[in-house]
Amino acid sequence: MAGFHVMADAYGMHVQPAVRRITAADLWDALKLGAEDFWAKPSHYMFLCLIYPVVGLILTQWTSGSNAIQLVYPLMSGFALVGPFAAIGLYEISRRRELGMNTDWRHALDVRRSPALPSIAVIGIMLFVLLLLWLFTAQSIYTSLFGDQPPASIGAFVRDVLTTSKGWTLILLGNAAGFVFAVVVLATTVIAFPLLLDRDVGAVSAIETSARAVMANPLQMALWGLLVAVLLVIGSIPLFAGLAVVMPILGHATWHLYRKVIEPARVRPIRRPM
């Protein structure tokens, strides 16, 4: 009987979906299929995805107005940390289109009726905690180098970062720390949310399966992470407006990546007790 469950599936078992090996060609094909999903009925998705540039602009204005200019870049890069959760409605649209079902935008909210919703929520909370830890880490690095005083202005901050040894140290340490956070998120959630939408396997299995997928395809997953990072940067440059296209394409592409990496469910999946 299905009920509230997080650690395992509805039957209290730990399911281990089989992981495939993929190639770089599979990554490009996933992006191509993601773009096809987006362009099929883009007006349906713009309703969901225009929130990203709006939120980005609000965050930039808020941090600048609060003399927290040093957090603008960490907030921008933080999109990559919560992106897997934020795009969950897009996975649902791709799933429905794959099955030949109605893909009206309102069905992106059908996730709220998913039996795996508790597991989805738990992993989503984990990502937001990681985002907060990343912002705390970024602020700590800045404070250790420049002290407690916030930048006097955007111009002064840019000058200090680009023309001083402390600034270059900030760039190196900040990006190194951000890379660690990005690797953790990639390894634990690259296919976790699509898997939970497709099969109610529990949060632990979803995270573990993502990790196994990365270990089975280290170079391909590293390339995928690089593609995501580059596309998010490109989408963020024109005042975040490009995210209205980049985010949905990446969201849809992630669903197709999941399909390529994970074997279809068997009639009798192999289970082991928790």
Side-chain angles (χ1 to χ4, degrees):
M1 171 176 181
F4 184 91
H5 52 280
V6 172
M7 300 301 291
D9 69 3
Y11 302 96
M13 304 298 289
H14 185 81
V15 185
Q16 293 182 301
V19 173
R20 294 187 182 121
R21 293 186 181 277
I22 60 172
T23 66
D26 290 315
L27 303 183
W28 298 114
D29 191 50
L31 280 174
K32 175 177 172 289
L33 292 171
E36 289 177 1
D37 283 354
F38 173 68
W39 292 116
K41 292 182 180 179
S43 59
H44 287 196
Y45 310 143
M46 297 300 282
F47 166 82
L48 295 171
C49 301
L50 281 175
I51 65 172
Y52 294 105
V54 171
V55 169
L57 288 171
I58 291 174
L59 289 175
T60 301
Q61 180 63 33
W62 175 76
T63 53
S64 299
S66 302
N67 291 324
I69 301 166
Q70 72 277 8
L71 290 180
V72 171
Y73 176 74
L75 281 167
M76 289 171 59
S77 57
F79 276 121
L81 300 183
V82 297
F85 177 71
I88 195 165
L90 300 169
Y91 309 148
E92 175 64 13
I93 293 296
S94 284
R95 186 187 73 85
R96 296 180 67 86
R97 185 166 185 255
E98 181 182 274
L99 295 173
M101 301 169 69
N102 189 307
T103 56
D104 191 272
W105 61 262
R106 68 178 180 274
H107 290 296
L109 303 177
D110 285 354
V111 112
R112 69 187 186 277
R113 293 193 289 269
S114 169
L117 185 60
S119 298
I120 291 171
V122 165
I123 301 179
I125 291 171
M126 180 190 79
L127 291 184
F128 278 99
V129 169
L130 285 172
L131 173 61
L132 293 177
L133 286 174
W134 157 237
L135 294 177
F136 174 79
T137 301
Q139 178 63 29
S140 298
I141 294 173
Y142 175 84
T143 301
S144 68
L145 293 170
F146 291 95
D148 295 329
Q149 291 299 317
S153 65
I154 294 178
F157 175 69
V158 172
R159 183 173 61 252
D160 288 341
V161 168
L162 297 180
T163 64
T164 67
S165 59
K166 289 183 178 180
W168 284 104
T169 301
L170 176 66
I171 292 173
L172 292 175
L173 291 180
N175 280 290
F179 176 77
V180 172
F181 278 92
V183 168
V184 170
V185 170
L186 179 70
T188 56
T189 67
V190 63
I191 52 89
F193 291 111
L195 173 58
L196 287 171
L197 281 179
D198 191 37
R199 310 182 212 173
D200 183 13
V201 299
V204 173
S205 179
I207 292 173
E208 179 191 76
T209 304
S210 281
R212 287 193 292 113
V214 171
M215 287 188 291
N217 303 279
L219 295 179
Q220 293 80 3
M221 289 302 183
L223 178 57
W224 179 256
L226 179 62
L227 286 171
V228 170
V230 169
L231 289 173
L232 287 176
V233 169
I234 293 173
S236 299
I237 290 174
L239 296 177
F240 301 95
L243 293 178
V245 173
V246 170
M247 286 295 292
I249 289 177
L250 287 176
H252 294 306
T254 299
W255 172 264
H256 295 290
L257 178 66
Y258 157 71
R259 283 301 197 202
K260 292 177 180 296
V261 174
I262 302 301
E263 292 277 2
R266 298 173 181 174
V267 176
R268 291 184 177 180
I270 298 173
R271 301 169 184 265
R272 61 178 172 82
M274 286 293 292

